[in-house]
Amino acid sequence: NVWNDLINDPETSTQLTSLVQSVLQNERIYAAVKELLMQLLNDEEVYDELTKLVVQLGEERDVLSATQKLLTVSAHATLNDPDVLDHSMEFATEVVGDDVVQRTGGEALRNTVGYAVQPTGGAMLAGLGTIVLAGVLHFYFSRGSDGGSMSNGSGNSISDRASPLQTQPSTSSLDTSSSRILWTPLFQ
């Protein structure tokens, strides 16, 4: 209890801080304290225990909360400092104005856009397959098929129309002249 009372007493803390500061102002004492601390930190057992202590402190909610508040306040204070803001604006201006940065940035942007709109092999094959299928279906339904005879509703059978392999004109009542115009350049 005495120890807790001494640690929590603000006057004792102030006096202890003052004592440590005055003692460390003496160069010989400062060098001796520094050497003692270095020897302690180089001791493996002390180092392990100090690491455990830091880990335990880091896991406590109060310590995490205080550290987060400290870092947040420090970051805001740093970012709101007019000197820091001026230097960062100068730096950004220099970086943006640099020819090498502009050239490599432009190339990277161009490559990114090109890669984003470049179709993949699968997409190209699917598109080509769709075009071929549409062409075959158009050719089949507009010129006729070799298959059996089916009625088309006008009294003529589909087998009355010319096969796509025949060169004679169709005698069907269906108008296929527009499809012949579309397919003629493909077979020449």
Side-chain angles (χ1 to χ4, degrees):
N1 266 344
V2 174
W3 177 253
N4 288 336
D5 290 341
L6 284 174
I7 290 177
N8 293 328
D9 182 31
E11 187 178 333
T12 306
S13 296
T14 305
Q15 289 176 356
L16 183 62
T17 304
S18 175
L19 175 67
V20 170
Q21 286 176 346
S22 65
V23 167
L24 289 179
Q25 287 179 357
N26 184 335
E27 287 185 31
R28 286 182 36 209
I29 295 175
Y30 178 79
V33 168
K34 183 179 175 182
E35 184 179 334
L36 174 65
L37 286 175
M38 292 305 292
Q39 287 176 357
L40 287 174
L41 288 176
N42 288 332
D43 184 4
E44 192 172 317
E45 186 178 341
V46 172
Y47 182 80
D48 291 342
E49 291 300 318
L50 184 62
T51 303
K52 288 178 187 177
L53 175 66
V54 170
V55 169
Q56 287 175 351
L57 284 174
E59 291 175 348
E60 288 187 24
R61 280 212 157 128
D62 294 339
V63 173
L64 287 174
S65 177
T67 305
Q68 183 180 12
K69 287 178 185 175
L70 174 68
L71 292 175
T72 302
V73 169
S74 298
H76 287 161
T78 302
L79 293 174
N80 290 332
D81 184 3
D83 291 336
V84 172
L85 188 59
D86 289 342
H87 287 296
S88 60
M89 292 297 286
E90 288 174 14
F91 175 75
T93 302
E94 288 177 16
V95 169
V96 171
D98 189 7
D99 292 338
V100 174
V101 171
Q102 288 180 358
R103 188 170 44 253
T104 56
E107 290 173 5
L109 183 60
R110 200 172 314 115
N111 291 340
T112 301
V113 170
Y115 181 76
V117 298
Q118 179 183 17
T120 62
M124 290 188 65
L125 287 176
L128 182 61
T130 303
I131 291 171
V132 168
L133 179 63
V136 167
L137 290 175
H138 177 71
F139 183 71
Y140 178 77
F141 286 118
S142 67
R143 307 278 316 264
S145 68
D146 291 334
S149 175
M150 290 177 30
S151 175
N152 64 3
S154 65
N156 297 331
S157 66
I158 294 177
S159 64
D160 292 341
R161 294 186 293 158
S163 168
L165 301 176
Q166 295 174 343
T167 57
Q168 62 186 355
S170 173
T171 58
S172 171
S173 63
L174 295 174
D175 180 22
T176 59
S177 61
S178 64
S179 65
R180 282 198 190 105
I181 293 170
L182 293 174
W183 288 98
T184 302
L186 295 175
F187 295 110
Q188 290 178 352

